[in-house]
Amino acid sequence: MKMTKLGKLALSFSMGLTLLAGCGGSGGTTSGGEVTINLGSEPPEMNSFLNTDSTSGNVLRHVIVGLTTLDENDKAVPGVAESWTKSEDGLTYTFKLRADAKWNNGDPVTANDFVFAWNQLFTTRNGADYASTWAVMFEGANELMDATLPLKDDASEEQKAAAKEAEEAALANVGWKALDETTLEVKFTGPYPYVESVLAFYNLAPISEKLYNEYGGLDTYGKEADKMAYNGPYTVTQWVHEDSLVMEKNPNYWDASSISIDKINCRMIKDTGAALNEFENGTIDMIGLNGEQAKNYRAEGKNVQSYDDGSIWYLEFNTQRPGMNNAKVRKALTLGVDVEKYVANVVLNESKPAQSFTAAAVNNGEFSNKVGTVWNRNTTDYSEAKKLLEEGLKEEGLTLETFKPTLVGDTGDTGKKTYQFVQEQLKTNLGVTMEIDQVEFKTRLQRMSDGDFDIVWAGWSCDYDDPMSYLDLWITGGGNNHGKWSNAEYDALIKAAYSEGDVEKRTQQLLDAEKIIGEEVPIGPMYYRQRDFICSDKLVGVQRTAFRDIDLRFASVK
């Protein structure tokens, strides 16, 4: 996603360290059958190069495959690429594609399909929020982004001609090239240790240019079940928006014999009580549980599963809005919420208050341990936080009476409890009057992209196993930096860490970046999420981790 991934790999709020969580055991399973699961909401973006959220990602994981894919242990293994080599300096990779990789129409998946998809990803006018995140890694990507900025409506013919020439020149010099139908050469800007994991992410999946154009291109591709190309274990055969989606086994998938479940029915039930009723009635096989539901089920001896989903949830501040443009105000609002009380009384599971931005899911917690506690919250005395708030507001010509921000969040009962808790905390502890605006998940993502918010409750989860998966969110001009925060020192640290080959130096650069987040507070970290879920007895082998939220590729019916 990044809570969307989040976040942005923006994440759906609807539904919490074991690195691997699964439903049931493996004994007595059979190949075939169908299951029904709850996605929690409508997948907002099924065009792979535009995707930023985990809900869509939970579907994309089953229907498209990139050069690599993640195995049962979250390790990158061959996907469409059956093998690869890299240069001695680690900057150039040559991928050999498998001959039996096919699209759902029977066409072979070729190196040109990757070239086409990546050209779309890094064409700025297409509006891929994640493009700036990946562009720093790929040779020529930033240049392509610069050459494909959208023109103004009143651009002259000369300006249009110059823009076309610049785009063609940039495309001719990108670092990804099809050497032949089954050979892809990729040049990177640094010796990134996480390249193979990154290449498993949806944004970098191939797209058939033929089918993309046949299905209407940017305006309609990925908007309906029959308007998308599939090369993965499943294809989407039905999609009733805001209600349900059906995935069925893809006979053209090269490893179809390893896929046990024939059909996956996905529901989009936002209300946790309604989802629980369906589970108890036997009409759904896997649901997420809120804290109270999980607590009750555990008391009854039910097999409730839990896992650390790698997400951090936070208040993202629009630094272009009065008051939010002041670091003292942002810090005060962050410290004005008793997160331990929130986890204990609202979340009701093993989730933990955030001590820094990067979650413990990456590097087995080694990096977060080195960061330590950035956020020291005093939950018995808020006088210092209130003093900080008043100082910041005064600097911006505001008072508690004139400062009335609005918090934007998702619809649903779980979200409502969260936003009301934050609202009450800020009023009680700091005297801040805050309004709440609950909107549909897709609308919330759009408002974030548009910068249409004062504060937004958002989440982010790791896309690959490295702190950079979190920390490069806040670079100036980044597609996921919705609050438009900018800090030159932070940008320099992240830029240096991208290409730093010395592990200790790179780690220190990222640690220093964490400290700046603590000082400047572009976001107010709240908690690291633990998720609870339950499966019916017939569904076994489901895997849910920080890097693969819902994965039924290895599951089966008992």
Side-chain angles (χ1 to χ4, degrees):
M1 225 342 148
K2 215 23 133 196
M3 271 63 322
T4 33
K5 184 219 331 176
L6 138 299
K8 195 163 174 179
L9 175 73
L11 301 170
S12 171
F13 190 81
S14 58
M15 286 278 100
L17 158 85
T18 59
L19 285 182
L20 189 66
C23 291
S26 58
T29 61
T30 60
S31 180
E34 66 179 90
V35 295
T36 300
I37 65 172
N38 186 28
L39 281 180
S41 65
E42 165 85 358
E45 186 53 78
M46 289 285 284
N47 181 331
S48 54
F49 67 78
L50 294 178
N51 171 258
T52 61
D53 72 280
S54 64
T55 300
S56 303
N58 282 330
V59 179
L60 290 173
R61 178 176 299 110
H62 295 84
V63 301
I64 59 171
V65 181
L67 289 168
T68 63
T69 187
L70 299 184
D71 69 6
E72 300 97 319
N73 300 307
D74 288 326
K75 300 301 181 184
V77 296
V80 174
E82 63 181 1
S83 64
W84 53 87
T85 58
K86 65 178 178 178
S87 59
E88 190 173 337
D89 60 8
L91 300 183
T92 302
Y93 281 64
T94 304
F95 297 91
K96 190 66 178 178
L97 309 191
R98 60 178 72 247
D100 54 353
K102 296 180 181 179
W103 294 107
N104 50 299
N105 69 346
D107 289 349
V109 180
T110 70
N112 286 300
D113 295 328
F114 287 93
V115 172
F116 173 74
W118 296 4
N119 287 348
Q120 301 309 305
L121 170 64
F122 296 119
T123 293
T124 304
R125 62 176 174 270
N126 287 342
D129 283 347
Y130 251 136
S132 59
T133 296
W134 307 128
V136 293
M137 295 181 62
F138 294 85
E139 187 175 298
N142 275 318
E143 289 76 8
L144 178 57
M145 291 188 68
D146 290 341
T148 55
L149 290 165
L151 293 173
K152 295 181 178 180
D153 293 338
D154 60 353
S156 67
E157 292 303 315
E158 290 79 8
Q159 289 173 321
K160 291 177 182 179
K164 183 178 180 180
E165 183 178 346
E167 180 174 344
E168 290 174 350
L171 285 169
N173 289 289
V174 295
W176 50 97
K177 298 185 184 302
L179 302 185
D180 57 46
E181 288 292 284
T182 60
T183 309
L184 180 71
E185 180 185 82
V186 184
K187 294 182 178 181
F188 295 97
T189 57
Y192 303 106
Y194 44 85
V195 158
E196 292 164 13
S197 294
V198 166
L199 293 173
F201 197 71
Y202 327 114
N203 293 158
L204 298 166
I207 293 179
S208 164
E209 182 174 6
K210 170 187 171 182
L211 294 177
Y212 182 82
N213 292 327
E214 182 180 321
Y215 296 154
L218 188 66
D219 291 337
T220 57
Y221 183 81
K223 297 294 192 293
E224 302 291 343
D226 61 352
K227 294 292 187 292
M228 182 177 169
Y230 308 100
N231 75 331
Y234 293 89
T235 64
V236 177
T237 56
Q238 297 179 44
W239 187 357
V240 180
H241 294 285
E242 302 293 345
D243 179 76
S244 61
L245 179 149
V246 177
M247 295 185 286
E248 296 190 56
K249 193 171 177 179
N250 179 7
N252 285 325
Y253 179 54
W254 66 82
D255 197 22
S257 62
S258 72
I259 305 301
S260 295
I261 299 175
D262 288 336
K263 186 177 182 180
I264 304 171
N265 303 299
C266 302
R267 301 287 303 282
M268 304 170 192
I269 307 170
K270 299 171 186 176
D271 185 86
T272 56
L276 185 66
N277 287 337
E278 293 222 22
F279 178 79
E280 293 186 337
N281 289 335
T283 56
I284 198 165
D285 298 298
M286 183 173 72
I287 61 169
L289 300 171
N290 64 32
E292 185 176 358
Q293 292 168 339
K295 180 180 179 181
N296 292 338
Y297 263 0
R298 286 193 174 100
E300 296 173 13
K302 298 289 180 64
N303 185 28
V304 175
Q305 303 291 309
S306 65
Y307 70 107
D308 178 352
D309 76 349
S311 69
I312 176 171
W313 290 80
Y314 49 86
L315 302 174
E316 184 167 3
F317 304 110
N318 187 342
T319 64
Q320 306 305 299
R321 297 284 175 92
M324 301 307 164
N325 59 336
N326 189 292
K328 292 179 181 178
V329 173
R330 299 192 298 263
K331 188 170 186 177
L333 294 175
T334 302
L335 298 178
V337 179
D338 186 341
V339 183
E340 287 189 8
K341 184 176 180 180
Y342 167 69
V343 170
N345 294 283
V346 179
V347 183
L348 297 172
N349 66 12
E350 298 303 312
S351 296
K352 295 177 174 58
Q355 297 180 327
S356 60
F357 181 58
T358 303
V362 299
N363 295 167
N364 293 317
E366 293 178 11
F367 181 76
S368 61
N369 288 338
K370 290 178 180 178
V371 175
T373 301
V374 173
W375 300 97
N376 288 301
R377 292 181 166 90
N378 187 337
T379 59
T380 59
D381 184 359
Y382 290 93
S383 59
E384 288 300 315
K386 191 168 184 179
K387 179 182 178 183
L388 197 64
L389 174 66
E390 291 172 345
E391 288 177 0
L393 290 177
K394 185 177 181 179
E395 290 171 4
E396 305 306 324
L398 298 169
T399 65
L400 281 172
E401 288 69 35
T402 59
F403 179 63
K404 298 183 184 299
T406 296
L407 173 65
V408 176
D410 297 336
T411 55
D413 56 324
T414 303
K416 184 176 182 179
K417 291 177 183 177
T418 291
Y419 315 140
Q420 289 180 337
F421 181 90
V422 174
Q423 181 185 51
E424 185 276 331
Q425 284 280 296
L426 295 182
K427 182 65 176 179
T428 300
N429 299 332
L430 301 180
V432 172
T433 300
M434 184 183 75
E435 300 297 323
I436 296 172
D437 186 7
Q438 284 189 267
V439 298
E440 293 295 328
F441 179 41
K442 187 173 184 177
T443 302
R444 191 257 290 178
L445 296 185
Q446 188 60 54
R447 288 184 61 174
M448 290 172 71
S449 293
D450 295 341
D452 182 18
F453 64 93
D454 296 326
I455 310 171
V456 63
W457 180 268
W460 187 263
S461 185
C462 40
D463 302 321
Y464 51 93
D465 194 9
D466 189 89
M468 191 66 81
S469 185
Y470 295 85
L471 293 173
D472 67 1
L473 262 68
W474 312 124
I475 58 174
T476 300
N480 293 305
N481 184 356
H482 308 108
K484 302 296 186 291
W485 176 71
S486 179
N487 181 284
E489 182 182 358
Y490 187 89
D491 292 345
L493 286 167
I494 297 301
K495 183 178 180 180
Y498 274 130
S499 56
E500 179 58 65
D502 185 292
V503 175
E504 290 188 6
K505 287 183 179 179
R506 181 177 186 271
T507 298
Q508 188 58 55
Q509 289 161 347
L510 297 177
L511 291 173
D512 290 344
E514 280 274 9
K515 292 177 183 177
I516 292 176
I517 292 176
E519 294 166 359
E520 291 294 312
V521 206
I523 45 93
M526 292 288 118
Y527 80 112
Y528 305 127
R529 185 171 67 175
Q530 189 87 2
R531 300 182 86 178
D532 298 313
F533 68 102
I534 192 167
C535 297
S536 68
D537 292 338
K538 81 173 189 179
L539 177 57
V540 300
V542 175
Q543 297 189 351
R544 305 188 71 167
T545 77
F547 305 96
R548 295 176 293 124
D549 181 21
I550 296 178
D551 194 344
L552 275 68
R553 295 176 300 157
F554 310 102
S556 57
V557 174
K558 189 173 180 179

PDB file of all heavy atoms in Angstrom, residues 120-135:
ATOM      1  N   GLN A 120       4.285   4.524 -18.029  1.00  0.00           N
ATOM      2  CA  GLN A 120       3.044   5.128 -17.535  1.00  0.00           C
ATOM      3  C   GLN A 120       3.209   5.608 -16.095  1.00  0.00           C
ATOM      4  O   GLN A 120       2.746   6.685 -15.721  1.00  0.00           O
ATOM      5  CB  GLN A 120       1.891   4.118 -17.612  1.00  0.00           C
ATOM      6  CG  GLN A 120       1.599   3.594 -19.003  1.00  0.00           C
ATOM      7  CD  GLN A 120       1.439   4.687 -20.016  1.00  0.00           C
ATOM      8  OE1 GLN A 120       0.617   5.593 -19.846  1.00  0.00           O
ATOM      9  NE2 GLN A 120       2.236   4.625 -21.081  1.00  0.00           N
ATOM     10  N   LEU A 121       3.871   4.791 -15.283  1.00  0.00           N
ATOM     11  CA  LEU A 121       4.086   5.132 -13.872  1.00  0.00           C
ATOM     12  C   LEU A 121       4.818   6.461 -13.735  1.00  0.00           C
ATOM     13  O   LEU A 121       4.444   7.314 -12.922  1.00  0.00           O
ATOM     14  CB  LEU A 121       4.887   4.013 -13.197  1.00  0.00           C
ATOM     15  CG  LEU A 121       5.427   4.281 -11.789  1.00  0.00           C
ATOM     16  CD1 LEU A 121       4.285   4.471 -10.791  1.00  0.00           C
ATOM     17  CD2 LEU A 121       6.350   3.142 -11.344  1.00  0.00           C
ATOM     18  N   PHE A 122       5.860   6.661 -14.534  1.00  0.00           N
ATOM     19  CA  PHE A 122       6.708   7.845 -14.393  1.00  0.00           C
ATOM     20  C   PHE A 122       6.324   8.991 -15.328  1.00  0.00           C
ATOM     21  O   PHE A 122       7.065   9.971 -15.441  1.00  0.00           O
ATOM     22  CB  PHE A 122       8.171   7.456 -14.585  1.00  0.00           C
ATOM     23  CG  PHE A 122       8.675   6.501 -13.528  1.00  0.00           C
ATOM     24  CD1 PHE A 122       9.137   5.232 -13.874  1.00  0.00           C
ATOM     25  CD2 PHE A 122       8.665   6.859 -12.190  1.00  0.00           C
ATOM     26  CE1 PHE A 122       9.590   4.350 -12.901  1.00  0.00           C
ATOM     27  CE2 PHE A 122       9.106   5.980 -11.205  1.00  0.00           C
ATOM     28  CZ  PHE A 122       9.573   4.720 -11.560  1.00  0.00           C
ATOM     29  N   THR A 123       5.174   8.871 -15.994  1.00  0.00           N
ATOM     30  CA  THR A 123       4.632   9.996 -16.753  1.00  0.00           C
ATOM     31  C   THR A 123       3.797  10.834 -15.802  1.00  0.00           C
ATOM     32  O   THR A 123       2.711  10.427 -15.381  1.00  0.00           O
ATOM     33  CB  THR A 123       3.779   9.501 -17.940  1.00  0.00           C
ATOM     34  OG1 THR A 123       4.644   8.837 -18.882  1.00  0.00           O
ATOM     35  CG2 THR A 123       3.085  10.657 -18.636  1.00  0.00           C
ATOM     36  N   THR A 124       4.293  11.985 -15.443  1.00  0.00           N
ATOM     37  CA  THR A 124       3.717  12.771 -14.349  1.00  0.00           C
ATOM     38  C   THR A 124       2.246  13.108 -14.564  1.00  0.00           C
ATOM     39  O   THR A 124       1.452  13.083 -13.614  1.00  0.00           O
ATOM     40  CB  THR A 124       4.519  14.068 -14.158  1.00  0.00           C
ATOM     41  OG1 THR A 124       5.886  13.731 -13.928  1.00  0.00           O
ATOM     42  CG2 THR A 124       3.996  14.867 -12.979  1.00  0.00           C
ATOM     43  N   ARG A 125       1.862  13.415 -15.785  1.00  0.00           N
ATOM     44  CA  ARG A 125       0.463  13.817 -16.010  1.00  0.00           C
ATOM     45  C   ARG A 125      -0.529  12.683 -15.745  1.00  0.00           C
ATOM     46  O   ARG A 125      -1.728  12.936 -15.613  1.00  0.00           O
ATOM     47  CB  ARG A 125       0.288  14.336 -17.434  1.00  0.00           C
ATOM     48  CG  ARG A 125       0.587  13.339 -18.529  1.00  0.00           C
ATOM     49  CD  ARG A 125       0.289  13.898 -19.918  1.00  0.00           C
ATOM     50  NE  ARG A 125       0.720  12.989 -20.951  1.00  0.00           N
ATOM     51  CZ  ARG A 125       1.931  13.002 -21.494  1.00  0.00           C
ATOM     52  NH1 ARG A 125       2.824  13.892 -21.101  1.00  0.00           N
ATOM     53  NH2 ARG A 125       2.247  12.115 -22.439  1.00  0.00           N
ATOM     54  N   ASN A 126      -0.044  11.446 -15.612  1.00  0.00           N
ATOM     55  CA  ASN A 126      -0.936  10.336 -15.272  1.00  0.00           C
ATOM     56  C   ASN A 126      -1.350  10.362 -13.806  1.00  0.00           C
ATOM     57  O   ASN A 126      -2.317   9.721 -13.422  1.00  0.00           O
ATOM     58  CB  ASN A 126      -0.274   8.993 -15.601  1.00  0.00           C
ATOM     59  CG  ASN A 126      -0.226   8.721 -17.088  1.00  0.00           C
ATOM     60  OD1 ASN A 126      -0.953   9.338 -17.869  1.00  0.00           O
ATOM     61  ND2 ASN A 126       0.633   7.793 -17.498  1.00  0.00           N
ATOM     62  N   GLY A 127      -0.587  11.062 -12.986  1.00  0.00           N
ATOM     63  CA  GLY A 127      -0.998  11.283 -11.598  1.00  0.00           C
ATOM     64  C   GLY A 127      -0.732  10.146 -10.637  1.00  0.00           C
ATOM     65  O   GLY A 127      -1.477   9.967  -9.672  1.00  0.00           O
ATOM     66  N   ALA A 128       0.339   9.366 -10.842  1.00  0.00           N
ATOM     67  CA  ALA A 128       0.672   8.282  -9.920  1.00  0.00           C
ATOM     68  C   ALA A 128       1.369   8.853  -8.684  1.00  0.00           C
ATOM     69  O   ALA A 128       2.495   9.341  -8.765  1.00  0.00           O
ATOM     70  CB  ALA A 128       1.566   7.260 -10.613  1.00  0.00           C
ATOM     71  N   ASP A 129       0.699   8.794  -7.538  1.00  0.00           N
ATOM     72  CA  ASP A 129       1.252   9.373  -6.318  1.00  0.00           C
ATOM     73  C   ASP A 129       2.573   8.726  -5.906  1.00  0.00           C
ATOM     74  O   ASP A 129       3.426   9.364  -5.286  1.00  0.00           O
ATOM     75  CB  ASP A 129       0.252   9.241  -5.170  1.00  0.00           C
ATOM     76  CG  ASP A 129      -0.868  10.272  -5.253  1.00  0.00           C
ATOM     77  OD1 ASP A 129      -0.730  11.223  -6.040  1.00  0.00           O
ATOM     78  OD2 ASP A 129      -1.875  10.112  -4.545  1.00  0.00           O
ATOM     79  N   TYR A 130       2.716   7.438  -6.213  1.00  0.00           N
ATOM     80  CA  TYR A 130       3.921   6.725  -5.802  1.00  0.00           C
ATOM     81  C   TYR A 130       5.109   6.954  -6.737  1.00  0.00           C
ATOM     82  O   TYR A 130       6.225   6.521  -6.452  1.00  0.00           O
ATOM     83  CB  TYR A 130       3.640   5.223  -5.784  1.00  0.00           C
ATOM     84  CG  TYR A 130       3.557   4.595  -4.418  1.00  0.00           C
ATOM     85  CD1 TYR A 130       2.550   3.685  -4.105  1.00  0.00           C
ATOM     86  CD2 TYR A 130       4.506   4.883  -3.447  1.00  0.00           C
ATOM     87  CE1 TYR A 130       2.480   3.080  -2.870  1.00  0.00           C
ATOM     88  CE2 TYR A 130       4.440   4.284  -2.200  1.00  0.00           C
ATOM     89  CZ  TYR A 130       3.432   3.383  -1.911  1.00  0.00           C
ATOM     90  OH  TYR A 130       3.373   2.790  -0.676  1.00  0.00           O
ATOM     91  N   ALA A 131       4.893   7.603  -7.870  1.00  0.00           N
ATOM     92  CA  ALA A 131       5.961   7.738  -8.859  1.00  0.00           C
ATOM     93  C   ALA A 131       7.217   8.365  -8.272  1.00  0.00           C
ATOM     94  O   ALA A 131       8.339   7.906  -8.514  1.00  0.00           O
ATOM     95  CB  ALA A 131       5.464   8.555 -10.047  1.00  0.00           C
ATOM     96  N   SER A 132       7.052   9.415  -7.485  1.00  0.00           N
ATOM     97  CA  SER A 132       8.217  10.103  -6.924  1.00  0.00           C
ATOM     98  C   SER A 132       8.953   9.225  -5.918  1.00  0.00           C
ATOM     99  O   SER A 132      10.161   9.394  -5.702  1.00  0.00           O
ATOM    100  CB  SER A 132       7.798  11.413  -6.265  1.00  0.00           C
ATOM    101  OG  SER A 132       6.858  11.191  -5.236  1.00  0.00           O
ATOM    102  N   THR A 133       8.242   8.300  -5.290  1.00  0.00           N
ATOM    103  CA  THR A 133       8.876   7.382  -4.350  1.00  0.00           C
ATOM    104  C   THR A 133       9.851   6.458  -5.067  1.00  0.00           C
ATOM    105  O   THR A 133      10.975   6.246  -4.620  1.00  0.00           O
ATOM    106  CB  THR A 133       7.811   6.536  -3.629  1.00  0.00           C
ATOM    107  OG1 THR A 133       6.989   7.394  -2.835  1.00  0.00           O
ATOM    108  CG2 THR A 133       8.455   5.486  -2.723  1.00  0.00           C
ATOM    109  N   TRP A 134       9.414   5.921  -6.201  1.00  0.00           N
ATOM    110  CA  TRP A 134      10.247   4.956  -6.926  1.00  0.00           C
ATOM    111  C   TRP A 134      11.230   5.639  -7.869  1.00  0.00           C
ATOM    112  O   TRP A 134      12.262   5.048  -8.219  1.00  0.00           O
ATOM    113  CB  TRP A 134       9.364   3.995  -7.733  1.00  0.00           C
ATOM    114  CG  TRP A 134       8.291   3.318  -6.955  1.00  0.00           C
ATOM    115  CD1 TRP A 134       6.963   3.266  -7.257  1.00  0.00           C
ATOM    116  CD2 TRP A 134       8.430   2.556  -5.746  1.00  0.00           C
ATOM    117  NE1 TRP A 134       6.259   2.549  -6.317  1.00  0.00           N
ATOM    118  CE2 TRP A 134       7.145   2.105  -5.369  1.00  0.00           C
ATOM    119  CE3 TRP A 134       9.520   2.234  -4.932  1.00  0.00           C
ATOM    120  CZ2 TRP A 134       6.920   1.336  -4.235  1.00  0.00           C
ATOM    121  CZ3 TRP A 134       9.294   1.457  -3.788  1.00  0.00           C
ATOM    122  CH2 TRP A 134       8.009   1.030  -3.462  1.00  0.00           C
ATOM    123  N   ALA A 135      10.942   6.858  -8.311  1.00  0.00           N
ATOM    124  CA  ALA A 135      11.750   7.506  -9.349  1.00  0.00           C
ATOM    125  C   ALA A 135      13.210   7.653  -8.963  1.00  0.00           C
ATOM    126  O   ALA A 135      14.100   7.549  -9.820  1.00  0.00           O
ATOM    127  CB  ALA A 135      11.160   8.866  -9.704  1.00  0.00           C
TER     128      ALA A 135
END
